[in-house]
Amino acid sequence: MSTLITLFIFLVIGYVIVSIVSRKQRELAEKESRQRDQFIQESQLILKEQLPSSPHKNPSTTRPPTVTQEHIKQVINYFLEHGYKVGDIEHFEGIDMIGIKEKELLLVRCESSLKEIRQQDLKEYIADCTVYLDKNPMFHNRTVHRVYATTSPMSVEALDYARSHTSSIRILENLA
């Protein structure tokens, strides 16, 4: 009789443990699903797809694109060709656009107005990217590529800095 009672107690304990574990697994799956949905929504907000030109505009009322707008379009097309989904983030602290591809995050600065790119400009851009990543922890699990796309000449110090810090910044010059 005591064996049956002991067996019954073990079965009850086993059932309680299995039910607790399965409940925790369901809660974890629901939490992951909510986080995934939130990430997708935030990504869609961030990555509003940019098209190089809009067919809905009347050609007689549009102004010719400026050098900066043309440069940005070239950069967007370059990264679209390389498989990134590129979007504008409304120029967050020196970052003009971001791109996402698999587990990669692309942060891009488009510069065509400076007379010469200096080392300080590159350091400020890297700092801007760091601030952006700190404010957006959802990107922490991605490999970050910082790109400084420019049509302006670069100073010798800036070129040396970019060459010695290839893991921190990549220079994209003259996409013609």
Side-chain angles (χ1 to χ4, degrees):
M1 184 68 175
S2 65
T3 307
L4 287 176
I5 293 174
T6 305
L7 180 62
F8 181 73
I9 291 174
F10 281 131
L11 287 175
V12 169
I13 291 173
Y15 176 77
V16 169
I17 290 173
V18 168
S19 64
I20 290 173
V21 168
S22 64
R23 183 174 46 105
K24 291 295 184 183
Q25 286 175 336
R26 277 194 312 271
E27 289 173 0
L28 182 62
E30 290 171 1
K31 182 178 179 182
E32 287 176 352
S33 177
R34 282 192 308 271
Q35 287 178 342
R36 184 175 36 253
D37 291 343
Q38 180 184 3
F39 175 75
I40 289 171
Q41 288 174 345
E42 289 174 356
S43 296
Q44 288 172 346
L45 288 175
I46 291 172
L47 294 175
K48 294 177 186 170
E49 194 73 38
Q50 282 189 351
L51 299 176
S53 63
S54 177
H56 299 90
K57 292 182 180 177
N58 185 354
S60 63
T61 61
T62 58
R63 294 179 291 162
T66 64
V67 174
T68 304
Q69 291 170 336
E70 190 60 37
H71 177 62
I72 290 172
K73 288 179 186 178
Q74 288 174 347
V75 172
I76 289 171
N77 289 333
Y78 176 83
F79 286 113
L80 287 174
E81 290 172 3
H82 284 84
Y84 287 92
K85 185 174 180 182
V86 181
D88 183 8
I89 60 169
E90 300 178 17
H91 310 289
F92 177 87
E93 301 289 327
I95 300 171
D96 295 323
M97 68 183 74
I98 68 168
I100 292 180
K101 177 172 99 173
E102 297 167 4
K103 288 284 186 182
E104 296 178 21
L105 174 66
L106 179 72
L107 300 173
V108 182
R109 166 78 189 253
C110 296
E111 182 59 62
S112 60
S113 61
L114 293 177
K115 189 173 186 177
E116 181 180 61
I117 306 300
R118 301 171 297 135
Q119 178 180 353
Q120 185 62 30
D121 298 322
L122 300 178
K123 288 181 177 181
E124 287 174 3
Y125 174 63
I126 291 171
D128 292 339
C129 292
T130 303
V131 170
Y132 179 76
L133 291 170
D134 287 345
K135 289 185 178 181
N136 294 284
M138 66 183 171
F139 294 125
H140 284 197
N141 63 342
R142 293 183 179 269
T143 304
V144 179
H145 300 286
R146 296 169 193 88
V147 178
Y148 200 96
T150 183
T151 58
S152 303
M154 296 189 66
S155 70
V156 174
E157 295 85 19
L159 285 172
D160 288 342
Y161 182 81
R163 285 187 194 118
S164 62
H165 295 85
T166 56
S167 63
S168 298
I169 193 163
R170 181 176 149 215
I171 305 299
L172 187 62
E173 295 182 281
N174 301 324
L175 287 175

